[in-house]
Amino acid sequence: MKKIVIHGGRRLMGTVEVSGAKNAALPLLCATLLCPGEHRLGNVPDLRDIQTVLQLLETLGATAVNDQGQVRVNADQVVSVEAPYDLVKTMRASVLVLGPLVARLGQARVSLPGGCAIGARPIDLHLKGLEAMGAEISLDHGYVEARAEKLQGATIYFDIPTVGGTENLMMAATLAEGTTILENAACEPEIVDLANALNGMGACVRGAGTDTITIEGVEALQPMDYQVMADRIEAGTFMVAAAMTQGDVLVANADPDSLEAVISKLREAGAEVSLGDDGIRVKGPQQIKPLQIKTSPHPGFPTDMQAQFMAMLTLAKGTSVIAENVFENRFMHVCELQRLGSKIRIDGKQALVEGVDQLLGAPVMATDLRASASLVLAGLAADNTTEVSRIYHLDRGYERLEEKLLALGADIRRVSVDAS
Ligand code: EPZ
């Protein structure tokens, strides 16, 4: 087991390049199941979740080779339609094989993902959409079974703009008979990335990035050849790190269009954010200003940036209010931030963060992916030493985070848990 040890108080300075987006790469890799042939996907981040989805593709019969982020998937032989519990329980995005398998092979057997640290995260809207397209859905001992001779185009209204549900049904609809319209669809940039890749495969997807997506089914698709977009959440994490350490960091390959809410809130907090052809530059203020934050589906403030902003706001001059409106249990970083001397009170969906002058380094424990990023950020600003354990959570979504922070001047290293 490893932990991250941080000696806080260093200002972050310099340039950082973010990796490919985890939340784009995962659905893109699942989309390779839509057709036989040799698929190529570049700029794939080196993450535990990526290893898991490649393992899942191989379980289904595809072959996957990852050559330092240039991934080749041969999906000629899909010999199984079952996504097993032991894989799905470690990574719920495995449910994104559901749409491609039913679309290409007419059946799928995918373990229900179960809950996760941040919430129940059901997939009822995925299943409701597949049923609307003519699939027969049944539950069998913890597995979802979906069958369809041939999916039919349908108009599907999402009660909640679900990212995964939009992705699953967009992929399923590419090979359906007729036209599918997804209404109240999620608008996240990762969905646009997936639509662009699908259209490159010969699909006909229109309106991705808006709340209405139209997909004309086609007879067959060709193998993917695509580059994953830059990770906007990793970029946002570095931007917050600069803001809360009075730093000056250029995030070289960040796309400002995917980070409008984050940029706006960092400026409101007093950071100087400049947008250039070379990326997004963030200069941290001497004093962070308090904020009101409400997470919501894109283009609202991203829930995946809530924990990172909370870390920053523990040092604001005044009290901030953070409302987590997307997931029901995404405040698990609060108890650990309190160990570092922050003053946070949870009131239902809201966290009231009363700024303090200084965080005090201490051992803390990661509970989920973005919570672990939040604790690393807090450690960068805290005095003395902060040790973050259970960093396998961090490795799910951040590629070499401590190396990138070290290059920006942080005093940070990954050590074995039993190291003094
Ligand atoms: C994706 O999860 C991301 N994961 C999450 O990122 C992100 O937080 C989330 O979208 C919201 O932006 C990937 O892309 C792999 P949802 P997803 O379906 O698709 C409810 C990270 O840290 N819902 O948009 O699972 C659900 O319970 C991760 O990188 C239903 O009720 O999110 C939640 O409250 C965490 N029924 C809300 O909708 C459904 O059928 C949003 O979930 C589906 C969802």
Side-chain angles (χ1 to χ4, degrees), residues 198-272:
L198 292 171
N199 287 335
M201 295 167 71
C204 187
V205 181
R206 298 286 173 266
T210 75
D211 62 4
T212 304
I213 302 176
T214 304
I215 306 104
E216 304 290 343
V218 295
E219 273 303 304
L221 296 169
Q222 291 77 44
M224 179 187 296
D225 187 353
Y226 196 70
Q227 292 287 320
V228 179
M229 66 180 272
D231 193 316
R232 64 191 172 102
I233 303 302
E234 184 188 3
T237 304
F238 283 112
M239 290 161 66
V240 170
M244 63 191 285
T245 59
Q246 292 84 46
D248 181 352
V249 174
L250 173 67
V251 186
N253 53 339
D255 171 11
D257 294 342
S258 65
L259 283 161
E260 284 178 344
V262 167
I263 291 167
S264 166
K265 283 298 176 184
L266 279 177
R267 284 172 170 161
E268 200 182 321
E272 191 184 312

Side-chain angles (χ1 to χ4, degrees), residues 27 93 95-96 99 121 123 125-126 158 161-171 186 188 191 194:
V95 297
L96 293 172
R121 301 182 73 182
I123 60 167
L125 300 178
H126 302 228
F158 288 113
T162 157
V163 172
T166 301
E167 290 166 342
N168 236 335
L169 293 163
M170 190 163 77
M171 290 188 281
E188 272 67 6
I191 288 168
L194 178 61

